[in-house]
Amino acid sequence: MNFLTQKLPALFPVIVVTSIICHSAAALTLPRNVTIPALIVWGDSIVDPGNNNVVNTIAKCNFDPYGMDFNGGVPTGRFSDGRVPSDLIAEELGIKKLLPAYLDPNLQTEDLLTGVSFASGGSGYDPLTPKIVNVLSLSDQIELFREYKRKIDAAVGVERREIIVSKGIHLVVIGSNDIANTYLSTPFRNPHYDILAYTNLMTSSASKFFQALYGEGARRIGVVGVPAIGCVPSQRTLSGDIKRGCSAKANNAASLFNSKLSSLLGSLNKKLPEAKFVYFDIYNPLVSIVQNPSKFGFEVVDKGCCGTGNMEVSILCTRFSLGTCSDPSKYIFWDSFHPTEKAYKTLVPMAFDKEVNKLF
């Protein structure tokens, strides 16, 4: 999410899930004998593990204090203090502990076979959103996916590539930047669209992307809704509420879009015969944590750990930011827009575990 409001041994290791995969906060049970060769991720900064490091954009975070809890304090380009949801889900599925960025210059062929992330911090469903900060659009991500498929064809052949793509899980996490940045914080869309029309634009763009993904061979497609974006620290700050409450305007927009997104996925399941589109609700789990922080082991709700915690994100969150906390585990949010690794570890099972079986 961008800075504006803060945006070949064993060449084919197919994983057969036959038991319970343990999670620190929950246990994930999948159908017996389900094959999950790969996790392939699309979206924005929530699941960007470093693609923006090599993109000509200011929406970056490959510097301290980002990554302060990642393998000894290494900033990787993940917009958090540690791992991000794509990593945690890959581990829950038993695939690997870290899901790499497709544009990582150190990526190996074996990394491709078990999945990568094409996500780019600052992107959105609205085609205008990634242009504002010059990051990878969903169309760009599809183009990279085509290149990815050609690389796998060369390594293990077309037949195995088709299995990786069709049997792998595709996870889409995007939409927050459209609402928080493009619509609410810039003059580009707001004068021309009310929120009903703008969420229709987002839904139309989402539909085109999902159908393009299906056309590229994806069949198991999980789509995460927009979180309660009005509760992130930057939106609390921008709302002007002296008590720093959640922005109702932003949250209502997110809820409206999520309703349309869920309906869209239902219609695509009927339209596309082999598709399994599944909606994952992240909105309500985040609200639960924000409203009951102590229940989940958090102390600070309305500010991020980095700097003052009010607006710092991306290039505004650096080692020169004064006031950065020493213990992010007390915070729901790492910076003014993105949760901490501990918050993600709490959110992922709440949003993912009960619904994942619908992908099979």
Side-chain angles (χ1 to χ4, degrees):
M1 297 173 187
N2 70 44
F3 74 103
L4 291 174
T5 61
Q6 325 267 17
K7 193 187 186 316
L8 295 174
L11 272 177
F12 184 57
V14 174
I15 292 144
V16 181
V17 180
T18 59
S19 61
I20 293 177
I21 300 171
C22 292
H23 188 281
S24 59
L28 178 62
T29 308
L30 296 175
R32 299 183 69 84
N33 300 319
V34 164
T35 58
I36 310 173
L39 175 66
I40 300 169
V41 173
W42 314 82
D44 60 22
S45 59
I46 296 296
V47 286
D48 179 357
N51 284 310
N52 276 16
N53 295 353
V54 293
V55 174
N56 184 22
T57 176
I58 56 175
K60 294 180 186 289
C61 61
N62 55 339
F63 42 77
D64 297 333
Y66 284 94
M68 66 183 292
D69 296 313
F70 186 94
N71 291 350
V74 180
T76 61
R78 287 170 170 83
F79 288 77
S80 188
D81 60 304
R83 291 192 292 162
V84 294
S86 44
D87 300 314
L88 302 176
I89 291 170
E91 183 177 37
E92 269 209 329
L93 293 173
I95 296 173
K96 49 190 173 185
K97 187 170 183 178
L98 297 174
L99 194 78
Y102 176 68
L103 294 180
D104 183 343
N106 298 314
L107 202 66
Q108 303 296 312
T109 300
E110 51 265 36
D111 295 323
L112 298 176
L113 303 179
T114 49
V116 294
S117 173
F118 296 96
S120 180
S123 198
Y125 286 117
D126 179 352
L128 178 60
T129 299
K131 291 181 180 179
I132 294 173
V133 282
N134 194 40
V135 297
L136 300 175
S137 67
L138 287 175
S139 295
D140 294 330
Q141 293 178 38
I142 287 283
E143 282 300 316
L144 291 175
F145 182 55
R146 290 174 181 144
E147 178 184 85
Y148 162 88
K149 292 197 297 182
R150 291 193 294 270
K151 289 180 179 179
I152 295 182
D153 287 348
V156 297
V158 173
E159 184 177 350
R160 285 183 173 181
R161 183 263 295 165
E162 288 177 345
I163 293 173
I164 290 171
V165 172
S166 65
K167 299 295 186 183
I169 290 178
H170 297 257
L171 187 69
V172 183
V173 185
I174 200 164
S176 296
N177 294 307
D178 296 315
I179 293 170
N181 298 335
T182 305
Y183 188 74
L184 293 178
S185 302
T186 73
F188 302 120
R189 293 296 197 196
N190 198 298
H192 310 290
Y193 295 82
D194 61 17
I195 194 58
L196 287 171
Y198 187 67
T199 50
N200 284 340
L201 182 154
M202 289 175 64
T203 305
S204 175
S205 295
S207 179
K208 291 174 184 176
F209 171 67
F210 298 146
Q211 292 182 75
L213 202 53
Y214 183 87
E216 293 295 331
R219 294 296 180 265
R220 298 169 171 172
I221 304 170
V223 182
V224 179
V226 174
I229 197 69
C231 293
V232 306
S234 63
Q235 295 304 301
R236 292 174 185 263
T237 300
L238 292 169
S239 72
D241 181 359
I242 194 169
K243 296 181 180 179
R244 293 189 60 76
C246 297
S247 165
K249 186 175 184 180
N251 279 350
N252 289 340
S255 293
L256 178 61
F257 172 69
N258 287 339
S259 176
K260 295 178 181 181
L261 179 64
S262 179
S263 295
L264 168 65
L265 298 180
S267 66
L268 289 176
N269 277 327
K270 295 176 182 177
K271 178 179 179 180
L272 304 174
E274 299 174 9
K276 294 235 176 144
F277 286 95
V278 176
Y279 174 77
F280 293 104
D281 170 34
I282 196 68
Y283 185 101
N284 289 300
L286 181 58
V287 168
S288 294
I289 295 174
V290 166
Q291 291 180 342
N292 304 281
S294 60
K295 175 183 176 182
F296 297 94
F298 297 103
E299 297 177 13
V300 184
V301 173
D302 63 343
K303 294 184 178 182
C305 168
C306 187
T308 66
N310 293 332
M311 285 299 293
E312 293 90 339
V313 64
S314 187
I315 59 169
L316 299 180
C317 171
T318 71
R319 61 191 177 92
F320 301 108
S321 300
L322 299 178
T324 296
C325 76
S326 59
D327 186 3
S329 70
K330 295 179 180 179
Y331 288 69
I332 296 175
F333 295 98
W334 159 249
D335 58 23
S336 72
F337 213 89
H338 306 95
T340 57
E341 178 180 4
K342 180 182 174 182
Y344 282 140
K345 285 181 175 179
T346 306
L347 285 164
V348 165
M350 293 171 71
F352 189 68
D353 291 5
K354 291 180 180 179
E355 303 297 317
V356 67
N357 283 352
K358 295 179 182 178
L359 288 166
F360 309 108

